[in-house]
Amino acid sequence: MIFENLPTTPRSEELIDKAFSRAARAGRAKQGLEAQQSMLQTAANILSDNLENVVTEWPDFDLVDPFYYELADAVLKTEPSFGGREDEGGVDILRQSLSEVGWASRQVREIKDEYGSKLRRTDPETARKHRKQAFARMADIVEEVEADLRRVGDARDALRTLPDVRPDEPTLVVAGYPNVGKSSFVNAVTRARNEIAAYPFTTKGVGIGHFERDRIRYQIIDTPGLLDRPEEERNDIERQAVSALEHLADAVLFVVDASEACGYPLDAQLELRDAVAARFEGADVPVLTVCNKSDRSTDVEADAYMSVAEGDNVDGVLDTAIEAIGYEPDLPSRGDR
């Protein structure tokens, strides 16, 4: 997952202490003018390199898959350090902070060059005064971006825990009201090897499983808390997460329970189905209606019928979904071999 290995973001005080303590050790190893030059070089390099690494370790959001972009944008809006700026997306705010940290890195290098020139043309005592001035200015620069460093660190902590979803794999999203059998279906077709991961803004785990058919690996996702209730009951962040799923899904399997044993009237289930279909229509994603608990009732028009509890037609439903996905791998032509 693209955010999983992001390094810990240092705080300004921590970074300043690290740079100046190492500079002091470097200075003790030398004498006179050379000691001041070594201290300046060491502190500046540690500060500028660490600040630059904060920026370069992040992926380029212009190149990030739209699913992860939208999901990151939604997640970051839940972070307190990103709050109070409703007119901007979470990713935009993060980009601004990364830009400020990059600016600080460049400023430190400029201070190093400016005072490095001064240190070459003076006596040791004056050089010591110049070096202390340089340290004070560098510390001011780093402290100026403390809020940005904290924001970047908060973003890292939030995003690195996102589920390991693979946008390059053909993906089936399972939707429907609670208790209609979605998780049971996912467990059945993945032989219960699916992982349970959590979105930071949901209270239930997101089921992510995989299965293979004709040597093609498929991804299947159950999203409780997102596609299990009407649109008006979702908050803005949950709506954006659904938008992210539009980029990910190759087909949606909407599960209904015609027996209404799930606790929801069939009319309400079909109304939610129609809303989901309308939502994914713009993304040209097929939405299949599957009637589960067919051993109890089949009193609904559906694309397929099954009973996960009885093991009836589960594979047939999966075949129908795979056909709807219509995934064709890119095979190398003779000229590419």
Side-chain angles (χ1 to χ4, degrees), residues 64-190:
V64 166
D65 185 273
F67 166 74
Y68 272 123
Y69 185 103
E70 289 252 16
L71 192 57
D73 202 56
V75 169
L76 293 180
K77 289 179 180 178
T78 69
E79 287 300 303
S81 59
F82 284 73
R85 300 163 73 170
E86 294 82 1
D87 57 329
E88 294 180 276
V91 168
D92 289 337
I93 296 172
L94 173 60
R95 279 172 152 170
Q96 291 172 20
S97 285
L98 289 170
S99 178
E100 289 298 313
V101 174
W103 166 85
S105 175
R106 294 189 298 273
Q107 289 295 112
V108 169
R109 284 197 295 269
E110 289 180 10
I111 292 171
K112 179 189 71 172
D113 293 341
E114 176 187 343
Y115 281 87
S117 177
K118 291 180 179 180
L119 264 57
R120 287 193 295 271
R121 302 191 304 268
T122 189
D123 60 88
E125 183 57 31
T126 304
R128 178 174 175 275
K129 293 179 181 178
H130 285 323
R131 189 268 304 163
K132 292 180 70 174
Q133 290 173 359
F135 274 21
R137 288 180 57 186
M138 290 178 186
D140 286 344
I141 291 294
V142 177
E143 288 171 353
E144 189 172 337
V145 294
E146 165 61 18
D148 296 291
L149 289 170
R150 187 171 298 276
R151 192 172 293 120
V152 172
D154 290 346
R156 177 257 186 192
D157 293 343
L159 297 181
R160 67 192 299 269
T161 61
L162 287 180
D164 184 17
V165 176
R166 304 180 183 182
D168 58 329
E169 290 186 356
T171 300
L172 176 65
V173 171
V174 182
Y177 268 100
N179 305 318
V180 295
K182 303 188 301 295
S183 297
S184 298
F185 173 75
V186 173
N187 288 338
V189 301
T190 61

Side-chain angles (χ1 to χ4, degrees), residues 11-75:
R11 298 294 187 243
S12 60
E13 183 178 358
E14 167 193 348
L15 190 51
I16 292 168
D17 287 346
K18 174 183 176 181
F20 290 172
S21 62
R22 289 194 184 178
R25 289 200 298 270
R28 286 195 294 269
K30 303 180 185 299
Q31 293 182 344
L33 183 61
E34 189 176 1
Q36 302 305 315
Q37 292 172 328
S38 179
M39 291 177 71
L40 176 68
Q41 184 83 15
T42 299
N45 287 348
I46 289 173
L47 292 174
S48 62
D49 289 351
N50 277 268
L51 291 169
E52 183 178 20
N53 288 341
V54 168
V55 179
T56 58
E57 289 295 328
W58 280 83
D60 183 346
F61 279 97
D62 288 332
L63 304 177
V64 166
D65 185 273
F67 166 74
Y68 272 123
Y69 185 103
E70 289 252 16
L71 192 57
D73 202 56
V75 169

Side-chain angles (χ1 to χ4, degrees), residues 126-309:
T126 304
R128 178 174 175 275
K129 293 179 181 178
H130 285 323
R131 189 268 304 163
K132 292 180 70 174
Q133 290 173 359
F135 274 21
R137 288 180 57 186
M138 290 178 186
D140 286 344
I141 291 294
V142 177
E143 288 171 353
E144 189 172 337
V145 294
E146 165 61 18
D148 296 291
L149 289 170
R150 187 171 298 276
R151 192 172 293 120
V152 172
D154 290 346
R156 177 257 186 192
D157 293 343
L159 297 181
R160 67 192 299 269
T161 61
L162 287 180
D164 184 17
V165 176
R166 304 180 183 182
D168 58 329
E169 290 186 356
T171 300
L172 176 65
V173 171
V174 182
Y177 268 100
N179 305 318
V180 295
K182 303 188 301 295
S183 297
S184 298
F185 173 75
V186 173
N187 288 338
V189 301
T190 61
R191 303 300 183 260
R193 290 195 300 269
N194 56 304
E195 304 168 3
I196 300 297
Y199 287 126
F201 47 82
T202 60
T203 57
K204 299 179 181 179
V206 176
I208 303 173
H210 297 87
F211 62 89
E212 288 191 3
R213 186 64 60 89
D214 298 328
R215 298 184 178 180
I216 297 173
R217 177 176 155 117
Y218 291 83
Q219 186 170 236
I220 183 169
I221 298 179
D222 176 20
T223 58
L226 294 179
L227 292 174
D228 62 355
R229 62 190 191 280
E231 174 88 2
E232 60 270 16
E233 295 182 15
R234 302 183 199 121
N235 60 38
D236 290 341
I237 293 170
E238 290 166 340
R239 291 190 187 101
Q240 188 165 355
V242 173
S243 295
L245 290 173
E246 291 177 28
H247 297 292
L248 182 68
D250 294 293
V252 175
L253 202 68
F254 193 92
V255 182
V256 299
D257 172 11
S259 74
E260 301 182 346
C262 63
Y264 297 92
L266 181 58
D267 287 347
Q269 296 179 57
L270 295 178
E271 187 175 344
L272 177 60
R273 186 274 315 271
D274 292 344
V276 170
R279 183 71 186 255
F280 282 85
E281 183 179 12
D284 196 26
V285 174
V287 176
L288 304 177
T289 303
V290 175
C291 175
N292 187 31
K293 307 180 186 179
S294 60
D295 54 314
R296 298 185 180 188
S297 174
T298 58
D299 191 19
V300 64
E301 184 177 345
D303 296 289
Y305 300 83
M306 69 178 179
S307 173
V308 178

